[in-house]
């Protein structure tokens, strides 16, 4: 069964998600703002959920149409063959967003989509009401520049919920973004990864998962595993394939530190739950004392920002400190994500490359130094 699929992602990560999907065997891969469209069979759907590191979810595309009025939205949804996915007992809640569209009320659009879905299914099943006590089939809509998309969410919990981070610090970086930073820094299985402000250890753990080619979704379940329309055998086969693809990286190490001993312990527990504690080494230390003990290293870090944890004055002082301790050194690269417009001035030198990214809703840039 060929499926039209879509993987939403944080703005700025579309290229990485597209590259991942091509490597997974997806077809017709096309990156758009905040999402990547692709096609594939049930195996590709399962594989994408299990293996994607930088996407937020995986959707089945139910339909796309123009909707400048509520009538157009209603008729567009009602025309879609929703009965192919939603059974007479299934629950089908609706969520979504609207951006730069004539229909700007999310609540009203949500109500219209739900009403249209009910009317479609009433006609197909001959029912006057739906108990919605069965399998949950989460419908998600997007309205962007008056183009409406309706999706079926196959992931359930977002993909950044890997299952290893039972707790997090006060301002944790999302797992998908942490993985993206490691990929942008071209982390390899023979590298030593450093994060001297590691917090709950997400960058270190995601780096270790990447280095050992451990599928990020192996520790969790997905909504589509309960869909009668999809074969359980596809999920079973893809899980087995993902397990077999793990490759030990004896030369890899992830070395982290944090000034807060409680965070260090939390990072240690998270790495243990993720199954990578063997290559993660942690200590309590201030970033001011950062002094790597290897000849080569890849530094990836997410320092506290003024908008997240510190005052602007403290954040500025921290960036000056980073510029001092992250000195030019043969065999070392540095990557720092920050929302500070004056980052390069405070750090003390221009980045060799920078990339616009979002950390949640915060517009940031990832500054990379490798010369």
């Amino acid at each position: 069964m060929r499926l039209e699929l879509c993987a939403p992602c944080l703005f700025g990560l579309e290229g990485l998600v597209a590259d991942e999907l091509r490597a997974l065997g997806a077809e017709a891969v096309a990156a758009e703002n905040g999402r990547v469209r692709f096609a594939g069979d049930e195996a590709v759907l399962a594989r994408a959920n299990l293996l994607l590191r930088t996407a937020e979810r995986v959707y089945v595309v139910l339909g796309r149409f123009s909707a400048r009025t509520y009538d157009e939205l209603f008729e567009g949804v009602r025309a879609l063959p929703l009965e192919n996915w939603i059974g007479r007992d299934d629950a089908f809640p609706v969520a979504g967003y609207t951006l730069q569209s004539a229909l700007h009320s999310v609540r009203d659009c949500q109500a219209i989509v739900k009403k249209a879905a009910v009317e479609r299914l009433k006609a197909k099943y001959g029912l006057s009401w739906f108990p919605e006590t069965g399998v949950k089939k989460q419908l998600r809509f997007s309205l962007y520049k008056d183009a409406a998309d309706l999706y079926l969410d196959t992931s359930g919990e977002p993909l950044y919920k890997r299952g290893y981070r039972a707790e997090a610090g006060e301002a944790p970086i999302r797992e998908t973004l942490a993985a993206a930073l490691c990929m942008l820094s071209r982390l390899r299985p023979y590298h030593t990864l450093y994060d001297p402000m590691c917090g709950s250890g997400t960058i270190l753990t995601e780096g270790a998962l990447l280095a050992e080619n451990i599928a990020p979704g192996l520790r969790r379940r997905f909504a589509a595993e309960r869909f009668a329309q999809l074969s359980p055998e596809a999920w079973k086969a893809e899980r087995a394939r993902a397990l077999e693809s793990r490759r030990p990286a004896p030369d890899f190490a992830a070395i982290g530190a944090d000034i807060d001993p409680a965070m260090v312990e939390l990072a240690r527990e998270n790495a243990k739950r993720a199954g990578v504690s063997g290559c993660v080494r942690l200590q309590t230390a201030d970033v001011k004392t950062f002094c790597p003990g290897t000849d080569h290293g890849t530094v990836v870090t997410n320092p506290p920002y003024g908008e997240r944890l510190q005052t602007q004055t403290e954040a500025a002082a921290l960036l000056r400190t980073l510029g001092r301790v992250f000195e030019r050194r043969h065999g070392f690269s540095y990557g720092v994500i920050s929302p500070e417009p004056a980052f390069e001035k405070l750090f003390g030198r221009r980045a060799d490359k920078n990339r616009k990214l979002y950390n949640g809703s915060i517009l940031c840039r990832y500054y990379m130094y490798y010369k």
Side-chain angles (χ1 to χ4, degrees):
M1 176 170 56
R2 181 180 170 86
L3 301 167
E4 286 188 63
L5 302 166
C6 180
C9 59
L10 292 173
F11 286 103
L13 300 188
E14 298 89 350
L16 288 178
V17 174
D19 288 343
E20 285 196 86
L21 286 166
R22 292 187 187 99
L24 297 183
E27 301 173 352
V29 177
E32 301 178 356
N33 284 335
R35 60 190 174 188
V36 179
R37 295 179 181 275
F38 63 107
D41 58 12
E42 296 175 53
V44 169
L45 184 153
R47 197 178 307 150
N49 273 295
L50 285 162
L51 271 62
L52 283 176
R53 299 182 189 278
T54 57
E56 298 298 296
R57 297 177 184 272
V58 177
Y59 296 155
V60 172
V61 180
L62 300 179
R64 190 178 206 188
F65 51 90
S66 176
R68 290 187 55 82
T69 67
Y70 289 121
D71 284 343
E72 288 179 343
L73 179 61
F74 180 87
E75 294 300 335
V77 172
R78 190 169 65 168
L80 300 176
L82 303 181
E83 65 278 3
N84 290 348
W85 291 98
I86 302 173
R88 61 177 59 233
D89 296 319
D90 291 342
F92 50 103
V94 175
Y97 70 89
T98 175
L99 185 65
Q100 298 179 36
S101 295
L103 303 179
H104 53 80
S105 169
V106 173
R107 180 176 294 183
D108 289 342
C109 290
Q110 186 176 356
I112 291 294
V113 171
K114 181 70 175 185
K115 182 179 179 181
V118 168
E119 291 302 314
R120 170 79 187 198
L121 297 173
K122 279 170 63 176
K124 292 297 177 179
Y125 294 127
L127 298 175
S128 60
W129 70 281
F130 293 88
E132 299 198 48
T133 55
V135 175
K136 181 179 178 181
K137 305 288 182 64
Q138 177 71 62
L139 296 178
R140 296 188 183 275
F141 67 86
S142 72
L143 269 165
Y144 178 61
K145 294 185 177 179
D146 300 322
D149 290 88
L150 189 66
Y151 306 113
L152 176 64
D153 187 349
T154 72
S155 301
E157 292 284 348
L159 296 183
Y160 65 80
K161 294 196 174 183
R162 316 287 207 211
Y164 67 76
R165 195 165 75 175
E167 296 183 56
E170 186 177 359
I173 189 171
R174 190 172 290 185
E175 290 87 336
T176 45
L177 181 56
L181 299 185
C182 291
M183 294 167 74
L184 290 170
S185 288
R186 301 186 180 276
L187 184 68
R188 297 292 183 262
Y190 48 84
H191 285 185
T192 300
L193 171 64
Y194 288 92
D195 183 358
M197 293 170 286
C198 69
S200 58
T202 306
I203 289 174
L204 299 172
T205 298
E206 289 296 323
L209 292 173
L210 176 63
E212 297 197 355
N213 200 39
I214 299 173
L218 274 178
R219 305 179 63 84
R220 54 163 289 178
R221 293 288 173 176
F222 302 92
E225 292 185 74
R226 299 185 63 202
F227 292 2
Q229 295 83 0
L230 300 174
S231 168
E233 294 305 312
W235 288 94
K236 183 178 179 180
E238 290 303 321
R239 283 186 182 277
R241 175 176 170 169
L243 281 168
E244 292 171 3
S245 69
R246 178 174 183 171
R247 56 173 183 262
D251 296 326
F252 177 80
I255 300 174
D258 198 272
I259 198 170
D260 184 350
M263 296 305 297
V264 171
E265 184 57 33
L266 184 55
R268 185 173 287 114
E269 289 299 315
N270 287 338
K272 182 178 179 181
R273 277 189 287 266
V276 296
S277 58
C279 62
V280 175
R281 305 203 296 268
L282 297 157
Q283 64 175 329
T284 302
D286 192 316
V287 68
K288 295 175 182 178
T289 66
F290 177 69
C291 183
T294 57
D295 293 331
H296 299 81
T298 302
V299 178
V300 179
T301 196
N302 173 43
Y305 320 146
E307 294 176 49
R308 289 166 58 233
L309 291 178
Q310 298 185 319
T311 66
Q312 291 290 348
T313 300
E314 291 170 329
L318 175 59
L319 296 184
R320 293 190 183 96
T321 296
L322 296 186
R324 176 176 58 80
V325 299
F326 291 174
E327 60 185 3
R328 285 191 177 92
R329 186 188 301 238
H330 179 72
F332 268 78
S333 67
Y334 304 96
V336 185
I337 185 170
S338 173
E340 174 54 61
F343 175 90
E344 290 169 310
K345 181 179 180 180
L346 293 166
F347 189 83
R349 61 185 189 271
R350 290 183 62 84
D352 297 305
K353 188 176 182 180
N354 76 76
R355 183 160 176 158
K356 184 166 70 173
L357 299 171
Y358 279 83
N359 189 355
S361 61
I362 302 174
L363 174 60
C364 299
R365 286 190 177 273
Y366 187 48
Y367 296 92
M368 291 169 274
Y369 297 84
Y370 43 81
K371 294 179 183 177

